[in-house]
Amino acid sequence: MVKSRAEALAFPRGDLELAFCSMCGFIQNRLFAPERLDYSVGYQETQGFSPTFTGWAKRLIQQLIERYGVQEQTVLEIGCGKGEFLAELCQAGKNRGIGIDPGLALEHPSHSGQIQWIGGVYEDHTERTREAQTVLCRHTLEHIAPVGAFIGRIRAAIPPQALLFLEVPDTCRILEEKAFWDIYYEHCSYFTQGSLGRLLRAQGFKVLENRRDYGDQYVLAFARADQANQAFPEENDLEGLNRLVRAFKAAAPAAIQDWRNRLEAWHQAGKRVVLWAASSKSVAFLTSLAVSEEVAYAVDINPYKRGHYLPGSGHPVVGPDDLEQAPPDVVLVMNSIYTEEIRRDLARRGLQPELVPLR
């Protein structure tokens, strides 16, 4: 998050050229340069202010405890963000935690001594894996370019019979919905159920479960260090994925132009259009469209984002309480799973704009 419009407009940019392997289904930005990124304390990735998201996270925690026995263990989370999920899992399952993330502040709360927080990257603290009975890696693998080496590093250090849980965005949904706003520089690696399952088995893991969840937005994989097993039927996705890639490549330019036309029509009609979420999706949406005054601002329920600006486009970020001063006519819902939550939030403030989910 940046604090001025000038800083936002001058923010560094990078190009994307997605390469698709028709043999394994893996997709990656071949132009990705990790040194261009700065995952530091100021990075605001948390979704913990959303009741929809926190409710789903609690259900996932219960599954880890009840189905996989993650209780009274040492749990290591690689890329723990601000640590909400790890803290909740430790409290619910009476676990001890180790959280590693370059965005962790040194003064991060200790949660009554249950958790040790480490500000840094996993590669510098791989030895801590040996202490864990469960290893979590949620929404981190898509930020890693050498994914084979990364999973191999975990495999070499993870204790026998320890559980590995991975959670990544589902690329099939992005391709199916022509969701160009879900492709952005920070995400250099893109997975499907098939490619994630093949990666795990190639690195010496037995996949216990591999499914889509959260409105089919995420792929969840549970595995143990063991002899690789046969692929699940839903992992045999190469033929369909080949078709989706070709269709997306052909349709994405038209989808971008269609959204430009819609925004221009609303603007010409004098309607105030806003985005709900000051997120990477919003940044990708606005920079792909190269629009400015057609969108007034972005709204976000995370209070730490309020008063900042979206990198690239320079759009200001406001909180829901600011909407009465400049009521929107059209709200673009960047993630449709939050549509009803947003509708309720607006209704509490006496606002009834047109809600347009991007999905």
Side-chain angles (χ1 to χ4, degrees):
M1 302 305 296
V2 295
K3 296 182 179 180
S4 73
R5 188 168 189 272
E7 185 182 358
L9 292 173
F11 205 82
R13 298 168 182 261
D15 292 326
L16 293 95
E17 183 181 357
L18 296 184
F20 168 59
C21 176
S22 60
M23 300 298 292
C24 75
F26 183 52
I27 297 172
Q28 190 170 70
N29 176 18
R30 69 169 77 216
L31 303 181
F32 180 70
E35 64 274 9
R36 297 179 66 87
L37 302 184
D38 178 22
Y39 290 115
S40 58
V41 174
Y43 199 81
Q44 283 292 337
E45 79 296 325
T46 182
Q47 295 174 270
F49 292 96
S50 164
T52 301
F53 185 84
T54 54
W56 177 78
K58 288 180 183 293
R59 292 191 295 274
L60 178 57
I61 285 169
Q62 283 305 117
Q63 179 186 352
L64 285 165
I65 292 171
E66 295 171 5
R67 187 180 301 182
Y68 290 100
V70 183
Q71 49 190 335
E72 298 183 354
Q73 295 185 355
T74 296
V75 179
L76 168 70
E77 184 168 12
I78 303 168
C80 64
K82 297 298 182 285
E84 300 102 330
F85 188 87
L86 181 60
E88 183 78 20
L89 178 58
C90 286
Q91 182 176 6
K94 299 180 181 179
N95 296 297
R96 302 165 299 280
I98 304 170
I100 303 176
D101 197 287
L104 279 173
L106 295 178
E107 67 275 13
H108 200 283
S110 64
H111 292 280
S112 304
Q114 287 178 298
I115 305 173
Q116 181 182 358
W117 303 106
I118 300 173
V121 296
Y122 172 68
E123 288 82 351
D124 294 336
H125 301 279
T126 306
E127 74 283 354
R128 301 304 302 270
T129 313
R130 297 182 176 90
E131 305 172 34
Q133 287 81 55
T134 296
V135 176
L136 313 176
C137 187
R138 302 174 58 248
H139 295 279
T140 295
L141 196 60
E142 63 268 27
H143 298 261
I144 305 296
V147 291
F150 187 82
I151 296 297
R153 185 185 293 269
I154 296 173
R155 175 64 178 85
I158 197 169
Q161 295 307 305
L163 177 72
L164 173 64
F165 171 58
L166 297 175
E167 183 180 323
V168 296
D170 177 51
T171 303
C172 277
R173 181 197 61 82
I174 296 172
L175 298 174
E176 289 165 354
E177 298 178 7
K178 311 299 184 289
F180 59 86
W181 52 88
D182 269 319
I183 295 174
Y184 39 86
Y185 199 82
E186 292 90 341
H187 285 188
C188 56
S189 298
Y190 296 81
F191 297 92
T192 66
Q193 286 179 275
S195 61
L196 187 60
R198 284 182 279 275
L199 169 63
L200 286 167
R201 291 184 178 86
Q203 295 298 329
F205 282 96
K206 179 180 181 179
V207 181
L208 308 175
E209 186 179 358
N210 185 348
R211 71 170 196 268
R212 300 205 292 181
D213 208 325
Y214 205 56
D216 288 345
Q217 295 187 34
Y218 303 156
V219 176
L220 278 58
F222 303 78
R224 296 193 192 278
D226 201 347
Q227 185 174 353
N229 55 342
Q230 293 294 316
F232 300 128
E234 56 270 26
E235 295 177 5
N236 297 319
D237 58 3
L238 289 176
E239 184 177 345
L241 189 57
N242 269 276
R243 289 195 300 269
L244 284 174
V245 166
R246 291 195 297 270
F248 180 89
K249 183 176 181 178
I256 290 171
Q257 187 57 51
D258 177 64
W259 273 108
R260 285 196 186 110
N261 295 341
R262 295 178 73 177
L263 289 174
E264 178 61 24
W266 281 318
H267 184 61
Q268 291 297 324
K271 294 187 175 182
R272 180 179 289 121
V273 179
V274 307
L275 308 184
W276 195 287
S279 63
S280 297
K281 292 175 187 284
S282 298
V283 172
F285 183 75
L286 292 169
T287 53
S288 295
L289 298 180
V291 295
S292 180
E293 68 273 5
E294 294 88 345
V295 173
Y297 52 79
V299 187
D300 206 285
I301 59 176
N302 182 344
Y304 298 106
K305 293 183 178 183
R306 182 181 179 184
H308 291 77
Y309 295 80
L310 292 181
S313 70
H315 286 81
V317 181
V318 306
D321 289 337
D322 300 317
L323 297 182
E324 295 178 24
Q325 301 172 18
D329 299 299
V330 179
V331 174
L332 301 186
V333 180
M334 300 307 299
N335 189 332
S336 61
I337 203 167
Y338 300 111
T339 301
E340 292 310 311
E341 178 183 310
I342 294 168
R343 194 187 308 278
R344 291 191 296 269
D345 224 343
L346 289 164
R348 282 196 297 270
R349 294 168 171 83
L351 301 172
Q352 293 183 318
E354 179 184 358
L355 291 188
V356 182
L358 261 65
R359 191 170 186 168

